[in-house]
Amino acid sequence: MKNEGFPVKKTLEEFDFEFQLSIDKKVIEDLATLRFVHNAENVVLLGPPGVGKSHLAIALGIEAVKAGISVYFTNTGNLIERLKLANREGMLEKKLRDLMKYKVLMIDEIGYLPFDEEGAHCLFQLISRRYEKCSTILTSNKSYGEWGEIFKDHVIAAALLDRILHHCTTINIKGESYRLKERKKQGIKTVNIYQ
């Protein structure tokens, strides 16, 4: 699992569907068949921090690994920095080819930090290259309407979303944070900043 870049091991069996009622379990079970990978489709998990986006993404990635499918998990910030470095060194084409080796590329936490122009351009190149060839799983705390702010360019954001969403399943998770749930159980007062 370390070779795939997973920060932790998470499974679908461990996911508490009773806690996150906004998620249609049948949709997740269908994704777990990995038909989306064979069809080169994407998956986007949207929602506030702590609702299980990364858990579900990793769990789907682990299902793919078990099926012998090549998978790579990365944090958006790390990916953008590596792409920008490759671009400056004249190696972006090679880096994009390397990332095309993976049938499933998982990009976690889009939207936590905005991109500069170079970062947005590099990510656009990657998504364009993978379009209709390989699957990408993305997680984001921002709605699609806010992606223009992340990229600081509404034209690039629209073009990127056009390619991502053409063949895509979107899971929009609305609910409380799992992390805050544990604190509440212990009687620790929390504030929901997303209400």
Side-chain angles (χ1 to χ4, degrees):
M1 293 296 168
K2 289 238 187 293
N3 293 340
E4 286 78 16
F6 295 124
V8 291
K9 184 181 178 195
K10 298 283 185 180
T11 66
L12 290 175
E13 294 75 28
E14 295 167 337
F15 193 82
D16 186 354
F17 288 96
E18 296 297 314
F19 182 72
Q20 292 301 11
L21 295 173
S22 66
I23 300 172
D24 184 343
K25 189 175 180 183
K26 287 187 176 65
V27 173
I28 303 301
E29 288 169 346
D30 182 62
L31 291 171
T33 67
L34 306 175
R35 182 173 36 244
F36 79 96
V37 179
H38 301 296
N39 294 336
E41 296 169 352
N42 303 315
V43 177
V44 179
L45 298 124
L46 302 174
V51 294
K53 302 180 301 294
S54 298
H55 182 141
L56 287 172
I58 290 168
L60 290 170
I62 287 173
E63 290 300 313
V65 170
K66 286 185 198 169
I69 295 167
S70 58
V71 175
Y72 186 69
F73 180 98
T74 183
N75 173 283
T76 303
N78 294 338
L79 174 66
I80 296 295
E81 287 308 311
R82 288 199 316 264
L83 290 174
K84 284 167 54 175
L85 181 62
N87 188 43
R88 289 180 200 137
E89 293 175 348
M91 303 290 288
L92 182 60
E93 190 60 35
K94 180 185 182 311
K95 189 68 176 167
L96 294 175
R97 275 198 313 272
D98 289 346
L99 290 168
M100 284 299 293
K101 293 177 195 169
Y102 302 103
K103 290 294 286 176
V104 179
L105 177 64
M106 306 169 71
I107 306 174
D108 196 32
E109 299 182 339
I110 287 188
Y112 284 85
L113 298 170
F115 305 147
D116 61 14
E117 188 177 334
E118 183 186 15
H121 167 77
C122 290
L123 184 62
F124 177 77
Q125 294 297 319
L126 175 62
I127 296 298
S128 293
R129 185 72 58 94
R130 294 182 64 80
Y131 175 60
E132 295 190 322
K133 294 185 186 79
C134 310
S135 295
T136 305
I137 299 176
L138 305 106
T139 72
S140 179
N141 65 332
K142 303 285 188 192
S143 69
Y144 293 135
E146 297 174 288
W147 281 35
E149 297 164 24
I150 301 167
F151 289 88
K152 296 183 184 167
D153 184 325
H154 290 275
V155 174
I156 283 190
L160 186 90
L161 282 169
D162 184 56
R163 286 159 179 78
I164 292 169
L165 298 178
H166 185 207
H167 308 288
C168 184
T169 300
T170 299
I171 311 291
N172 201 340
I173 308 173
K174 298 177 176 110
E176 288 190 59
S177 165
Y178 281 105
R179 297 177 199 113
L180 296 182
K181 175 180 97 166
E182 291 306 312
R183 291 179 62 95
K184 282 182 181 177
K185 273 187 191 171
Q186 297 165 6
I188 299 169
K189 189 172 169 114
T190 60
V191 176
N192 188 346
I193 58 174
Y194 289 94
Q195 287 184 336

